[in-house]
Amino acid sequence: MSDFFFHIEEYILEHSDPEDEVLAALNRETNLKVLRPRMLSGHLQGKILEMISKMIQPEKILEIGTYTGYSAICLAKGIKKGGKLHTIEINDELEDIVLKYIKKAGLTEVVSNHFGNALEIIPEINEMFDLVFIDGDKREYLKYYHMVFDHVKPGGFILADNVLWSGKVIELDSPDDEYTKGIFDFNEYLKNDSRVEKVILPLRDGLTLIRKK
């Protein structure tokens, strides 16, 4: 079955737009030089993030969890002229590679990079966002959600990555490891939040699309 899905993904990529040169180079360098390269959004998810951003045409974007900058570059492709993407990464050892590829993508004036704890940085940004992408510490997803909610415009979108957490969210009624519990609690809260519309896409490790009413 895994071979089937591998070939299906190959087919999908062959019939989608190719990865651009900057993203392909970032993909290669991340896999060669950075720990846990699976954290990279990659071509398929990156293209979907780009398309969502282009459909929304946001003026202001917040990304929680930059990693090496792949998803930030994809999201920034849909931003309105004069818009701004704020992205937050806790690991300052990634700063050089992030800034290098943001510059290569010609997005230095569009992307504002913040390094540190998102829970401390988000209140300092003090903007209203059309689009928020949550992909940071899985233990803190619900805190991020509460923190950004009032800063999302009505009709705006929140995207949350890794919401299936390799299937661990369905293994126990109440998970005991902190990361799985963080995702589990976020999903359970969101299920009952009548302030939003939501759907989980079975893309890679699960991507939830949330629209604020």
Side-chain angles (χ1 to χ4, degrees):
M1 203 64 172
S2 60
D3 284 346
F4 171 79
F5 286 114
F6 173 78
H7 291 303
I8 284 292
E9 182 166 335
E10 275 195 329
Y11 182 87
I12 290 168
L13 293 175
E14 286 171 4
H15 291 79
S16 302
D17 285 343
E19 193 174 38
D20 73 35
E21 290 182 4
V22 172
L23 290 173
L26 174 53
N27 198 337
R28 284 194 299 272
E29 186 163 344
T30 301
N31 276 276
L32 286 170
K33 298 180 180 179
V34 183
L35 290 174
R36 297 186 295 278
R38 287 184 64 236
M39 291 172 62
L40 189 89
S41 287
H43 183 193
L44 178 57
Q45 181 169 311
K47 180 55 69 173
I48 289 171
L49 293 176
E50 176 187 335
M51 295 290 271
I52 290 172
S53 185
K54 285 180 174 177
M55 286 188 279
I56 297 169
Q57 296 185 311
E59 185 177 357
K60 296 287 175 63
I61 302 174
L62 173 64
E63 177 184 53
I64 303 170
T66 315
Y67 191 49
T68 56
Y70 195 103
S71 54
I73 292 170
C74 295
L75 290 167
K77 291 185 177 187
I79 207 161
K80 282 183 180 176
K81 187 175 181 180
K84 179 68 74 173
L85 185 154
H86 292 272
T87 183
I88 305 169
E89 173 56 46
I90 196 166
N91 184 359
D92 59 8
E93 292 182 358
L94 297 174
E95 184 170 357
D96 288 347
I97 189 171
V98 171
L99 298 181
K100 173 183 173 181
Y101 281 94
I102 294 295
K103 183 176 180 180
K104 279 179 176 286
L107 294 169
T108 303
E109 299 301 316
V110 175
V111 178
S112 180
N113 296 98
H114 306 266
F115 292 91
N117 189 325
L119 296 175
E120 297 171 0
I121 293 170
I122 292 167
E124 297 175 357
I125 297 174
N126 196 29
E127 297 267 16
M128 291 298 294
F129 297 100
D130 308 286
L131 176 60
V132 174
F133 182 41
I134 299 176
D135 192 20
D137 188 330
K138 311 311 168 191
R139 297 168 297 182
E140 310 290 6
Y141 264 36
L142 200 48
K143 287 183 182 178
Y144 298 147
Y145 182 73
H146 290 314
M147 190 169 279
V148 304
F149 193 85
D150 289 339
H151 292 272
V152 177
K153 296 176 183 177
F157 287 81
I158 301 171
L159 311 178
D161 200 13
N162 303 114
V163 294
L164 299 180
W165 204 230
S166 300
K168 292 179 183 179
V169 289
I170 62 170
E171 290 179 358
L172 297 168
D173 290 335
S174 182
D176 52 8
D177 96 75
E178 292 181 356
Y179 294 91
T180 304
K181 189 174 188 308
I183 297 293
F184 182 90
D185 289 348
F186 171 76
N187 290 343
E188 291 302 302
Y189 181 89
L190 194 61
K191 178 177 72 173
N192 299 307
D193 190 351
S194 61
R195 302 171 299 170
V196 298
E197 302 167 90
K198 59 273 185 182
V199 62
I200 295 177
L201 302 182
L203 170 69
R204 294 186 73 214
D205 201 21
L207 179 71
T208 302
L209 275 59
I210 305 156
R211 180 183 178 273
K212 184 176 179 179
K213 295 179 181 177

